[in-house]
Amino acid sequence: MKIFVVGGAGYIGSVCAQLLLDEGHEVAIFDNLSEGHRRAVDSRANFIRGELADRAQIEAALSRTRPDAVMHFAAYALVPESMRDPSKYFRNNVSNGLNLLDAMVATGVQRIIFSSTCAIFGPPERVPIDETASARPISPYGESKLTFEKILRWYDEIHGLKFVSLRYFNAAGATEHFGEDHRPETHLIPTVLKVALGQSPNVEIYGTDYETPDGTCIRDYIHIVDLARAHILALAASASGFYNLGTGGGSSVREIIAACRKITGRKIGTIEKPRRPGDPPRLIASSEKIKKELGWRPQFQSLDAIIESAWAWHQKFPHGYEE
Ligand code: UDP
């Protein structure tokens, strides 16, 4: 198939592009490199530098490449930043995303795989969180993704645009070539590994008074290769749908730090800080629906294997892609 990967120079998009190319698909990557990196673009892909904010640009790129499907990874994805600057999140994640959908309708591209997030749920009534849980986001980031999911439903109903929306829990890990390089880095695992590399003095633990066994937040860390495989399976989905994607297990902040100490063999100091706004205490996925309907199976079930892959990448690229 011909796949048009929007945001394919970013963390998850780059890995998905790699897997698509490995499987023999043709890939065009559309990215403005505001968050992504030129070196994260697979050399086998056709790279188009462009702006989602510019509807004409995206329409021209779709007309030229004539893809069978779009994968949409291009979004801002930081809860704390969204709590300070909601406009940035609604503008990019909703308005610019609409440009993409309208350009798809105009050029007759009828299938989209969308990167959604567990942040659409907010604090859950129960864990694991399945697709019937109510969506009550507590950050503009989560709200922006939920809004886009609602738009997808209407575009399906009105324009016949088929979608699969994948709600990622916490993406983590790396392949040999592609890994996590956000600037600034705020995600837990790369932040801890930077302390292990001696690039920053301590890990700050945001909140130690949550109602969890060790007082720190629990997240479901899922390997990006498992996320990428779900996208490829979604290409063959017979109907539109929403799927939660995680391993079904959870690790606390302190457990992540302990695992990183064990795997790196390095000293990792910590400082306890107040809670970070917008953080629910515990997010764990139920991925039964995608297992049943699309035949998805996570291959990286252990936290250690996920962190080992991330550590291998960070050692190989200690200063990320810009080195
Ligand atoms: N966290 C932390 N210190 C950090 C970064 C993150 O304690 O330097 C915590 C954060 O408050 C959350 C968890 O680690 O409870 C995962 O945060 P991350 O930003 O990696 O992902 P999120 O769950 O926000 O998507």
Side-chain angles (χ1 to χ4, degrees):
M1 290 173 85
K2 275 200 246 173
I3 314 296
F4 191 88
V5 182
V6 183
Y11 175 41
I12 305 166
S14 62
V15 172
C16 206
Q18 180 195 338
L19 263 66
L20 286 166
L21 288 157
D22 289 347
E23 293 200 358
H25 298 289
E26 213 177 294
V27 172
I29 288 177
F30 186 92
D31 200 302
N32 66 1
L33 300 182
S34 70
E35 301 284 321
H37 308 274
R38 187 63 183 85
R39 287 177 67 194
V41 173
D42 196 301
S43 57
R44 298 166 293 175
N46 166 19
F47 178 59
I48 302 162
R49 186 165 183 172
E51 293 287 345
L52 269 191
D54 183 342
R55 157 86 193 268
Q57 252 185 48
I58 181 104
E59 201 170 312
L62 287 173
S63 303
R64 226 172 31 247
T65 50
R66 301 243 143 255
D68 300 296
V70 166
M71 291 188 180
H72 177 26
F73 297 93
Y76 294 125
L78 299 178
V79 169
E81 185 185 52
S82 81
M83 300 295 283
R84 294 190 299 270
D85 189 358
S87 166
K88 176 174 176 177
Y89 278 71
F90 290 115
R91 199 167 299 281
N92 192 43
N93 298 2
V94 181
S95 305
N96 294 351
L98 260 181
N99 285 340
L100 173 62
L101 296 184
D102 289 338
M104 287 175 68
V105 171
T107 56
V109 183
Q110 287 186 323
R111 181 174 286 268
I112 183 167
I113 318 297
F114 174 59
S115 302
S116 189
T117 168
C118 61
I120 64 158
F121 292 110
E125 299 118 356
R126 58 183 186 281
V127 291
I129 304 168
D130 66 20
E131 289 77 3
T132 64
S134 38
R136 290 170 308 176
I138 57 167
S139 68
Y141 168 57
E143 190 75 50
S144 71
K145 291 281 184 169
L146 180 62
T147 304
F148 201 76
E149 285 198 345
K150 291 179 179 166
I151 293 170
L152 284 174
R153 264 198 36 225
W154 288 110
Y155 272 60
D156 183 7
E157 191 165 321
I158 296 163
H159 295 299
L161 194 152
K162 294 294 156 218
F163 70 86
V164 171
S165 180
L166 300 172
R167 284 95 170 245
Y168 311 158
F169 281 60
N170 285 58
T175 66
E176 193 189 334
H177 306 293
F178 302 120
E180 193 163 9
D181 180 3
H182 297 110
R183 292 166 193 242
E185 189 57 77
T186 62
H187 289 112
L188 181 63
I189 292 176
T191 300
V192 177
L193 294 178
K194 279 182 187 299
V195 177
L197 283 169
Q199 293 176 1
S200 67
N202 293 295
V203 182
E204 297 185 335
I205 300 178
Y206 301 137
T208 53
D209 59 349
Y210 286 98
E211 283 183 13
T212 58
D214 69 16
T216 64
C217 283
I218 292 176
R219 295 287 180 273
D220 183 342
Y221 294 88
I222 172 171
H223 199 284
I224 42 167
V225 166
D226 285 327
L227 286 183
R229 288 219 169 85
H231 288 74
I232 294 174
L233 291 170
L235 287 173
S238 54
S240 294
F242 302 96
Y243 297 98
N244 295 356
L245 261 186
T247 62
S251 308
S252 72
V253 174
R254 289 194 203 281
E255 284 168 343
I256 293 287
I257 295 167
C260 289
R261 285 192 181 117
K262 185 181 75 183
I263 285 157
T264 64
R266 308 273 175 97
K267 203 173 157 301
I268 297 171
T270 58
I271 301 180
E272 296 187 3
K273 295 289 225 186
R275 293 181 178 197
R276 199 175 66 171
D279 271 345
R282 185 193 299 258
L283 294 170
I284 296 173
S286 160
S287 298
E288 294 313 308
K289 184 178 174 207
I290 191 165
K291 287 180 181 165
K292 198 162 134 244
E293 294 186 8
L294 302 185
W296 179 76
R297 293 280 173 279
Q299 296 184 351
F300 290 82
Q301 284 285 10
S302 94
L303 179 65
D304 284 3
I306 293 174
I307 294 177
E308 275 161 16
S309 73
W311 179 231
W313 190 83
H314 282 280
Q315 283 179 293
K316 196 166 156 189
F317 299 90
H319 302 288
Y321 287 112
E322 306 304 323
E323 204 175 16

